[in-house]
Amino acid sequence: MEVVQVLHMNKGEGETSYAKNSVVQKKIISVATSIIKEEVQKCLEKNYPDSMGIADLGCSSGPNSLMVISDLIDTIYATSNQKEIPLPELRVSLNDLPGNDFNNIFISLPEFYNQLKMEKNIGPEGCFISGVPGSFYGRLFPKKSLHFVHSSSSLHWLSQVPRVLYANILKPLNKGKIYISNSSPRSVLDAYLSQFKRDFSLFMKSRSEEMVVDGHMVLSFMGRLSSDPSSEESCMQWELLAQALMSMALEGLIEEEKIDSFNAPYYAPSIQEVRSVVEEEGSFTINCLEAFEIEWDGDAPSNNNFQKYTDKIGKNNFSRGLQVAKTIRAVVESMLEVHFGREIMDELFKRYAELVGDYFSRTRAKYIDLVISLTKKG
């Protein structure tokens, strides 16, 4: 599978679009907001340039795309006022794979610029926003051109499916599954970990060449607390999707061999795996590395309201299952459609919603979101 060609969030503004179904990703951004602001302030304390390079990697499209950029500009604006020095010229680069719906972002830019002008008196000549299509597993920007880098809900996507998983189509390693499962052989787990290490190390190396000394970076992506890569917290959403596909195979709606030959280009690393790659690559100092729980539908309760929350969801498991299915569909449909065909998508995600709703009736389903902030070494 050529991930660069087939991976993109669902385009447009329709019912299955990413723009309409990105509440979880918005929640993940909001969880990291305080860390992002703190790192921007630290960056400006060490480096207050006349022209500041900012990159958002894996920006996607829809209402979340300019959310982080808006927060970054707010922080830079407040810091410049506090220091009583001119606001630096802002060079903002929005990156994603070529299939991303960049037009959706560009259409919203005039309104964004108008808001900047009204609220902060920053005109287009003070903030230059551009789209940069391409994979962040490699160089994207000139050397030493970036002061702050951000990425959210993107680095759990690998550059490719581990090659060993499709090396022998006659004897699939991960039969009946589309990602790591508790029934997957050890070779599958090892292959995914090796691919993640290669990709994440290349990501770090590429950014180290593009960033200035003492530049800061904040990354958030799906991960896990457990040392076991087949734990439910990192795999269950894929396990349920595999079950939905297998139920269709049993009814002859799709070929089982199609399922055997599909593996998700995804990996949810542990905290230690992330730390190990960063330290081994050696270009960055880790400032903080934290884990947060995010409900599958983005509706994370406070501890005080947890009992009321559990009472409520007992009555709404199916509707929550539908919401999660829409969220997952908006993210993975492009890949599934290429492999299985467009005609099965509605039925597949109907079954997936039912399985997720049933899973909600048995447990509190949550993702683990890892947030890491780093500083470029001298």
Side-chain angles (χ1 to χ4, degrees), residues 11 39 66 106 124 136 149 162 180 184 268 299 310 327 354 356 360:
K11 301 179 182 182
E39 293 302 311
L66 295 172
F106 297 153
F136 50 49
V149 173
I180 294 170
S184 298
D299 187 18
T310 51
T327 300
E354 292 169 353
V356 172
F360 274 132

Side-chain angles (χ1 to χ4, degrees), residues 141-177:
F141 307 99
K143 289 184 177 181
K144 296 182 173 61
S145 63
L146 299 177
H147 298 82
F148 192 87
V149 173
H150 170 263
S151 180
S152 182
S153 299
S154 297
L155 276 159
H156 42 253
W157 294 111
L158 301 172
S159 67
Q160 63 179 47
V161 175
R163 293 187 185 280
V164 68
L165 297 185
Y166 58 85
N168 188 348
I169 59 174
L170 298 178
K171 192 176 180 181
L173 277 178
N174 208 21
K175 189 170 177 57
K177 305 297 179 181

Side-chain angles (χ1 to χ4, degrees), residues 212-224:
V212 300
V213 172
D214 289 330
H216 284 243
M217 182 159 61
V218 178
L219 314 172
S220 60
F221 46 92
M222 296 299 182
R224 65 181 198 275

Side-chain angles (χ1 to χ4, degrees), residues 84 114 136 161 186 189 221 226 331 336-338:
E84 298 183 340
N114 286 338
F136 50 49
V161 175
R186 186 72 222 182
L189 279 60
F221 46 92
S226 172
V331 173
L336 295 175
E337 191 175 283
V338 167

Side-chain angles (χ1 to χ4, degrees), residues 92-95 102 106 129-133:
V92 179
S93 299
L94 302 176
N95 156 260
F102 283 102
F106 297 153
I129 300 177
S130 60
V132 181

Side-chain angles (χ1 to χ4, degrees), residues 68-93:
V68 172
I69 298 306
S70 181
D71 287 343
L72 287 172
I73 294 174
D74 286 348
T75 303
I76 297 166
Y77 180 78
T79 303
S80 68
N81 283 345
Q82 183 181 7
K83 291 178 177 289
E84 298 183 340
I85 53 180
L87 188 77
E89 175 185 84
L90 304 175
R91 295 174 283 109
V92 179
S93 299

Side-chain angles (χ1 to χ4, degrees), residues 320-341:
R320 294 183 74 212
L322 282 174
Q323 180 56 49
V324 172
K326 286 182 178 181
T327 300
I328 297 296
R329 181 173 185 171
V331 173
V332 305
E333 186 170 23
S334 63
M335 294 184 298
L336 295 175
E337 191 175 283
V338 167
H339 191 82
F340 294 102

